[in-house]
Amino acid sequence: MGAMNVCSCGWTIVSPLGAEDCVKHTMIHLRDSHPGTIITHDEILAHTKPV
Ligand SMILES: [Zn+2]
């Protein structure tokens, strides 16, 4: 099952590989676009939705 995540800035990740891949890409996005954001792996996972 794939997964998706939408950032508060409108950036969206859709991964066919699942939630863990989605979280990985979201953390990269946060690091690149929102440096200083403090969010844990589990918090991102909680925002990730199955597609
Ligand atoms: Zn963003």
Side-chain angles (χ1 to χ4, degrees):
M1 183 162 53
M4 69 172 290
N5 203 350
V6 181
C7 183
S8 56
C9 72
W11 177 90
T12 302
I13 174 75
V14 179
S15 172
L17 300 179
E20 285 297 330
D21 190 58
C22 223
V23 169
K24 185 179 77 180
H25 285 287
T26 302
M27 293 189 94
I28 292 168
H29 166 72
L30 290 172
R31 190 189 64 207
D32 289 347
S33 299
H34 310 287
T37 301
I38 309 288
I39 187 165
T40 67
H41 175 280
D42 287 351
E43 285 173 321
I44 296 170
L45 194 57
H47 286 277
T48 304
K49 297 177 175 59
V51 289

